[in-house]
Amino acid sequence: MAETTEPDFRARVRRSFDRQAFMRMIGAELTRVEQGMVEIELPFNEMMTQQHGILHAGIISSALETAGTYAGYSVLEPDAGLLTIEFKVNLLSPGRGERFLFRGEVTKPGTTIIVSDGRAYAMSQDAPPKLIASMTATKMVVRDREGFAE
Amino acid sequence: MAETTEPDFRARVRRSFDRQAFMRMIGAELTRVEQGMVEIELPFNEMMTQQHGILHAGIISSALETAGTYAGYSVLEPDAGLLTIEFKVNLLSPGRGERFLFRGEVTKPGTTIIVSDGRAYAMSQDAPPKLIASMTATKMVVRDREGFAE
Amino acid sequence: MAETTEPDFRARVRRSFDRQAFMRMIGAELTRVEQGMVEIELPFNEMMTQQHGILHAGIISSALETAGTYAGYSVLEPDAGLLTIEFKVNLLSPGRGERFLFRGEVTKPGTTIIVSDGRAYAMSQDAPPKLIASMTATKMVVRDREGFAE
Amino acid sequence: MAETTEPDFRARVRRSFDRQAFMRMIGAELTRVEQGMVEIELPFNEMMTQQHGILHAGIISSALETAGTYAGYSVLEPDAGLLTIEFKVNLLSPGRGERFLFRGEVTKPGTTIIVSDGRAYAMSQDAPPKLIASMTATKMVVRDREGFAE
């Protein structure tokens, strides 16, 4: 397992997340970084809807996939990078809410392959969080490839 | 099978696609609509990158998922809608290119469940199209639910 | 949600499981049935190996898929049936062990679609259970179709 | 790409397939081996059914997964092996038929990761082949690991 004990894995995760132009574009924030677990939050925005006015499946998937990537990244050694090989998303309830929370967690760390799972929740002031999607993603650790570490 | 023979399935698909604020936001265009097959194209844009400067997996997935939805939608009767239950994307090569083409095709039509497959290609003026991702998606046909038809 | 409160959902699940010739063929036993959660156990058997002598991915998937089906079935009303639409398995570690445990759990119940997740573990007398696979499955509830209820 | 030009990739694929005790157990035959494409056939057998008397999803998945593995294996260099990381199966129609055909094809070869897709068909003497399932699988090439090459 490629687990890191360096004190600043949080800073390393944040620096990489901050370079994701697309996460910035949609207003996603990295609100929690633990070893093997990351949370991203996103306020609802009409720009991100599909034809029925609810959050686009692509946005849900993008944020879940990113949460899964940084969950994996948080347990990597500092000079390694992570590429997503594949992921699957199940859309469990319509994406209606004021805010959305995306949690990624490492299910299986490894020196070559890291598998993470994710859950997405719709958040509203007057209701409990509602599970709207689940995800499983497979990532490959890359080393010695310029431009793929942090 | 819920196949439509109405002459204007293309117009119906376009009207629904045009209501997807998120597709508009990323500059996606519906460039081809056949019965059971749809193509979406997207110019590269730095706003849509991940931390290594290539197209974000979430953008690739969003456009593929949308192409799969409208491929299915093109064979539906006019008063039905389509909800995505789940989808899986395999990222086969880095998303580098001037433009990207996303093709969705119906693999299995049905009265309740429609399965579509998709392929994404990176396009450049001086090279053949490069396969960068594949997708399989499962959709559920919804009827009699206000707001879910076109 | 199609939750059942009938006292004998366990008997109903067992009767259906006992009709699965394939589960019998591989020596799988239903060792636990709760509402929304089912466990299946399987002793190792050389007949079920792949080319490297470890448990075949197909066996792992078969038992996981079945555990996911009966987890869903346990929360169905008595006269409904369940068809698997799709499932995905991640193989996390080689299938080496004396016995194997497959747990299926309902992640999202529903009147039409039920999503369950599963985990497979290799068991040995002298070691803690080892996670060898995870699964997500999408099922469709069928009613009024002869032969598909129990 | 790890493509092989050795004349006897067919023999190498067959030798490995013949060591799969589980494929033997269910009566599966390797009926076609090309570079990047493999077919497996299976006669219907009551032992392999689920609770409704049709072919068990686990059998369909096992044979599809194996076809995908050997499609990938056929383009590998002789001293490398292939491990399945994950796969997803969509069950498109009930598994009813006299025989079943499972075709695996390499979608994306690679030095580390190979992606293959598969299709399963039910065959009957008096009807055209019926598509009953589709699959996508991700495999990892392993080298220098004793016991994982052929």
Side-chain angles (χ1 to χ4, degrees):
Chain A
M1 174 185 168
E3 198 166 327
T4 177
T5 52
E6 28 122 29
D8 61 352
F9 69 91
R10 286 191 180 83
R12 190 166 49 90
V13 165
R14 279 187 189 287
R15 279 195 303 271
S16 180
F17 180 85
D18 288 347
R19 275 198 294 276
Q20 289 218 353
F22 179 47
M23 285 296 110
R24 210 157 48 230
M25 179 192 185
I26 63 174
E29 281 175 87
L30 189 64
T31 51
R32 194 167 167 191
V33 182
E34 306 295 339
Q35 285 226 337
M37 194 270 262
V38 153
E39 288 180 0
I40 290 172
E41 291 186 52
L42 185 70
F44 178 77
N45 181 326
E46 270 197 0
M47 296 288 285
M48 302 185 299
T49 54
Q50 38 84 288
Q51 72 276 23
H52 307 129
I54 58 178
L55 198 64
H56 198 287
I59 292 284
I60 296 172
S61 309
S62 299
L64 268 179
E65 194 274 322
T66 304
T69 292
Y70 287 111
Y73 195 66
S74 74
V75 298
L76 274 191
E77 66 265 30
D79 54 348
L82 213 50
L83 291 178
T84 300
I85 298 176
E86 64 83 38
F87 69 98
K88 175 200 201 293
V89 172
N90 268 69
L91 300 158
L92 305 172
S93 287
R96 280 196 193 89
E98 296 160 14
R99 296 180 66 75
F100 299 92
L101 172 69
F102 305 91
R103 182 181 301 124
E105 287 181 277
V106 172
T107 299
K108 177 66 169 61
T111 48
T112 311
I113 300 294
I114 290 180
V115 175
S116 43
D117 283 276
R119 301 247 162 155
Y121 300 88
M123 319 287 277
S124 296
Q125 261 188 313
D126 53 358
K130 187 178 171 69
L131 180 65
I132 59 167
S134 66
M135 177 205 66
T136 299
T138 309
K139 318 276 176 176
M140 183 168 63
V141 181
V142 285
R143 296 181 181 93
D144 304 322
R145 280 215 227 169
E146 217 171 305
F148 277 111
E150 191 194 326
Chain B
M1 174 182 167
E3 197 166 330
T4 178
T5 52
E6 27 121 29
D8 62 349
F9 69 92
R10 285 191 181 84
R12 190 168 48 88
V13 166
R14 280 187 188 285
R15 279 195 303 272
S16 181
F17 180 85
D18 288 348
R19 275 198 295 276
Q20 289 218 353
F22 178 48
M23 285 296 110
R24 209 158 49 232
M25 178 194 188
I26 63 173
E29 282 176 88
L30 191 62
T31 51
R32 194 166 167 190
V33 181
E34 307 294 340
Q35 284 225 339
M37 196 271 265
V38 153
E39 288 180 0
I40 291 173
E41 291 185 52
L42 186 69
F44 178 78
N45 181 326
E46 270 197 1
M47 296 289 284
M48 302 185 299
T49 56
Q50 37 82 290
Q51 71 276 22
H52 306 130
I54 57 179
L55 199 65
H56 197 288
I59 292 282
I60 296 171
S61 309
S62 300
L64 268 179
E65 195 275 323
T66 304
T69 292
Y70 287 111
Y73 196 66
S74 73
V75 298
L76 275 190
E77 65 265 30
D79 55 346
L82 212 50
L83 290 178
T84 300
I85 298 176
E86 63 83 38
F87 69 98
K88 175 202 202 290
V89 172
N90 267 69
L91 300 158
L92 304 172
S93 286
R96 282 196 192 88
E98 296 159 14
R99 296 181 65 77
F100 299 92
L101 172 70
F102 305 91
R103 181 181 299 125
E105 287 182 275
V106 173
T107 300
K108 177 66 170 62
T111 48
T112 312
I113 300 292
I114 290 181
V115 175
S116 43
D117 283 276
R119 301 247 163 156
Y121 300 88
M123 318 287 276
S124 297
Q125 261 188 314
D126 54 358
K130 187 178 172 68
L131 180 66
I132 60 168
S134 66
M135 179 204 64
T136 299
T138 309
K139 318 275 176 178
M140 184 168 62
V141 181
V142 286
R143 297 182 180 90
D144 305 321
R145 279 213 229 170
E146 214 169 308
F148 278 111
E150 189 194 331
Chain C
M1 173 182 168
E3 197 166 330
T4 177
T5 52
E6 29 120 29
D8 62 350
F9 69 92
R10 285 190 182 84
R12 190 168 46 89
V13 166
R14 282 188 186 284
R15 279 196 302 273
S16 181
F17 180 86
D18 288 347
R19 274 198 296 274
Q20 289 218 352
F22 178 47
M23 285 296 110
R24 210 158 49 231
M25 179 194 186
I26 63 173
E29 283 175 86
L30 191 62
T31 52
R32 195 166 166 188
V33 181
E34 307 294 340
Q35 284 226 339
M37 195 271 265
V38 154
E39 288 180 0
I40 290 172
E41 292 185 52
L42 185 70
F44 178 77
N45 181 326
E46 270 198 0
M47 296 289 284
M48 303 185 298
T49 55
Q50 37 83 290
Q51 72 276 23
H52 307 129
I54 58 179
L55 199 64
H56 196 287
I59 292 282
I60 296 171
S61 308
S62 299
L64 268 179
E65 195 276 322
T66 303
T69 292
Y70 287 110
Y73 196 66
S74 73
V75 298
L76 275 190
E77 66 265 31
D79 55 347
L82 212 49
L83 291 178
T84 300
I85 298 176
E86 63 84 37
F87 69 98
K88 175 201 202 290
V89 173
N90 267 68
L91 299 158
L92 304 172
S93 287
R96 282 196 192 89
E98 296 159 14
R99 294 181 66 76
F100 299 93
L101 172 70
F102 305 90
R103 182 181 299 124
E105 287 182 275
V106 172
T107 300
K108 177 66 169 61
T111 48
T112 311
I113 300 292
I114 291 182
V115 175
S116 44
D117 283 276
R119 301 249 164 156
Y121 299 87
M123 319 288 276
S124 297
Q125 261 187 313
D126 54 357
K130 187 178 172 68
L131 180 66
I132 60 167
S134 66
M135 180 205 64
T136 299
T138 309
K139 318 275 176 178
M140 183 168 64
V141 181
V142 286
R143 297 182 180 90
D144 305 321
R145 280 213 229 171
E146 215 170 309
F148 277 111
E150 190 193 331
Chain D
M1 174 183 168
E3 198 166 328
T4 176
T5 52
E6 28 123 30
D8 62 351
F9 70 92
R10 286 190 180 83
R12 189 167 48 90
V13 165
R14 280 187 188 285
R15 278 194 303 271
S16 180
F17 181 85
D18 288 347
R19 275 198 295 275
Q20 290 218 352
F22 179 48
M23 285 297 110
R24 210 156 49 230
M25 179 192 185
I26 63 175
E29 283 176 87
L30 190 63
T31 51
R32 194 166 169 191
V33 181
E34 306 295 339
Q35 285 226 337
M37 195 270 263
V38 153
E39 289 180 0
I40 290 172
E41 291 186 52
L42 186 69
F44 177 77
N45 181 326
E46 270 197 359
M47 296 288 286
M48 302 185 299
T49 55
Q50 37 84 289
Q51 71 276 23
H52 306 129
I54 57 178
L55 198 65
H56 197 287
I59 293 283
I60 296 171
S61 308
S62 298
L64 267 179
E65 195 275 322
T66 303
T69 291
Y70 287 111
Y73 196 64
S74 74
V75 297
L76 274 191
E77 66 265 30
D79 54 347
L82 213 50
L83 292 177
T84 300
I85 298 176
E86 64 82 39
F87 69 97
K88 175 199 201 292
V89 172
N90 268 68
L91 299 157
L92 305 172
S93 287
R96 281 196 193 89
E98 297 159 15
R99 295 181 65 75
F100 299 93
L101 172 69
F102 305 91
R103 182 181 300 124
E105 287 181 276
V106 172
T107 300
K108 177 66 169 61
T111 48
T112 311
I113 300 294
I114 290 181
V115 175
S116 43
D117 282 276
R119 302 247 162 156
Y121 300 87
M123 319 287 277
S124 297
Q125 262 188 313
D126 54 358
K130 188 178 171 69
L131 180 65
I132 60 168
S134 65
M135 178 205 65
T136 299
T138 309
K139 318 275 176 177
M140 183 168 62
V141 181
V142 285
R143 296 181 182 92
D144 304 321
R145 280 214 227 170
E146 216 170 306
F148 277 112
E150 193 195 325

